[in-house]
Amino acid sequence: GQQVMQIPQYQHVQEGEDFTTYCNSSTTLSNIQWYKQRPGGHPVFLIQLVKSGEVKKQKRLTFQFGEAKKNSSLHITATQTTDVGTYFCARTPREGGSEKLVFGKGTKLTVNP
Amino acid sequence: GAGVSQTPSNKVTEKGKYVELRCDPISGHTALYWYRQSLGQGPEFLIYFQGTGAADDSGLPNDRFFAVRPEGSVSTLKIQRTERGDSAVYLCASSFPGAGGSTDTQYFGPGTRLTVL
């Protein structure tokens, strides 16, 4: 299936700075999911976006789904050292139910204390 | 158990050998997925089960890879005649059908790191 493209591949910030990662697709997405993987850990589900133009917030994290459902972003306000890890977006071929995930290559975030 | 468990956590084998990797999903989760993750890459789908049957095995790279889930719970990923290129972290995930039209949330296990020498 079509892979999703993530940029940047790496991001290094000072603690307190903001961070944004972008996920882009050439085709319309039925939904987009975001995962976080700490160093040495496994992917942990953060959120799923389904609706065009959807915006969801989790504390300092803001997730957006584009109006055309071809892109998404994750923004972290005032990063902390606990935000370190790799952030992946993932798509499913179809909407709903049990489906395989197609992951992007991820954005690796490092935070300088 | 509280989460998805995978055994062993690490497996070192020699080229040409056979290996089995085990996944124990969250109790009651009907769907089970296998992915593999190479260094610096996102997880890559291999196969997923709905109950005992393989609903989608399109990600298995070749016929050296096989997976079973005979009783609809524990699954085993089997790799024959291992090659150095098979070295990766093999991740298992499970999910339970959710309400409405949203895609099920997948819960990942800690993975098995396979090294083929």
Side-chain angles (χ1 to χ4, degrees), chain A residues 75-94:
Chain A
H75 179 84
I76 303 179
T77 303
T79 54
Q80 300 175 359
T81 54
T82 53
D83 296 326
V84 162
T86 301
Y87 293 84
F88 293 98
C89 64
R91 61 176 287 270
T92 57
R94 286 177 295 274

Side-chain angles (χ1 to χ4, degrees), chain B residues 3-87:
Chain B
V4 178
S5 62
Q6 291 187 246
T7 54
S9 55
N10 279 284
K11 177 70 177 178
V12 180
T13 191
E14 294 179 342
K15 180 174 176 294
K17 298 289 188 183
Y18 168 83
V19 296
E20 289 190 353
L21 312 180
R22 176 188 166 110
C23 172
D24 204 335
I26 293 172
S27 178
H29 279 197
T30 54
L32 184 147
Y33 312 77
W34 283 100
Y35 296 84
R36 75 175 171 182
Q37 187 173 25
S38 300
L39 196 62
Q41 302 293 316
E44 175 191 20
F45 170 77
L46 296 175
I47 184 171
Y48 101 84
F49 291 86
Q50 192 63 257
T52 59
D56 184 348
D57 64 357
S58 62
L60 295 177
N62 51 59
D63 61 7
R64 295 187 298 106
F65 289 74
F66 189 71
V68 295
R69 194 186 186 200
E71 296 178 358
S73 179
V74 170
S75 176
T76 304
L77 178 65
K78 309 180 181 195
I79 310 175
Q80 298 177 321
R81 305 184 302 280
T82 52
E83 299 178 357
R84 292 194 181 90
D86 298 335
S87 296

Side-chain angles (χ1 to χ4, degrees), chain A residues 3 9-10 30-31 33 35 37 40-45 48 50 86 88 92-106, chain B residues 30-31 33 35 37 40-45 48 50 56 58-59 91 95-97 100-111 113:
Chain A
Q3 194 173 28
Q9 190 175 357
Y10 302 96
S30 57
N31 63 66
Q33 299 187 22
Y35 285 77
Q37 186 172 25
H42 57 275
V44 174
F45 174 80
Q48 179 179 183
V50 178
T86 301
F88 293 98
T92 57
R94 286 177 295 274
E95 185 172 349
S98 303
E99 284 289 347
K100 67 182 182 185
L101 292 170
V102 179
F103 284 84
K105 291 190 175 183
Chain B
T30 54
Y33 312 77
Y35 296 84
Q37 187 173 25
Q41 302 293 316
E44 175 191 20
F45 170 77
Y48 101 84
Q50 192 63 257
D56 184 348
S58 62
L91 294 164
S95 72
F96 185 80
S102 63
T103 301
D104 306 341
T105 298
Q106 295 184 25
Y107 297 88
F108 282 81
R113 182 176 298 278

Side-chain angles (χ1 to χ4, degrees), chain A residues 53-96:
Chain A
E54 190 169 15
V55 178
K56 287 188 177 180
K57 294 191 176 186
Q58 291 178 353
K59 297 182 181 178
R60 294 178 296 104
L61 278 60
T62 302
F63 303 85
Q64 294 192 14
F65 202 8
E67 292 289 342
K69 299 182 73 173
K70 287 186 175 182
N71 54 71
S72 181
S73 65
L74 158 58
H75 179 84
I76 303 179
T77 303
T79 54
Q80 300 175 359
T81 54
T82 53
D83 296 326
V84 162
T86 301
Y87 293 84
F88 293 98
C89 64
R91 61 176 287 270
T92 57
R94 286 177 295 274
E95 185 172 349

Side-chain angles (χ1 to χ4, degrees), chain A residues 15-56:
Chain A
E15 189 172 21
E17 292 181 339
D18 291 357
F19 159 77
T20 305
T21 173
Y22 300 90
C23 182
N24 300 300
S25 171
S26 59
T27 58
T28 303
L29 301 165
S30 57
N31 63 66
I32 196 79
Q33 299 187 22
W34 286 92
Y35 285 77
K36 176 183 178 181
Q37 186 172 25
R38 294 181 185 273
H42 57 275
V44 174
F45 174 80
L46 294 176
I47 209 155
Q48 179 179 183
L49 304 173
V50 178
K51 297 177 183 176
S52 168
E54 190 169 15
V55 178
K56 287 188 177 180

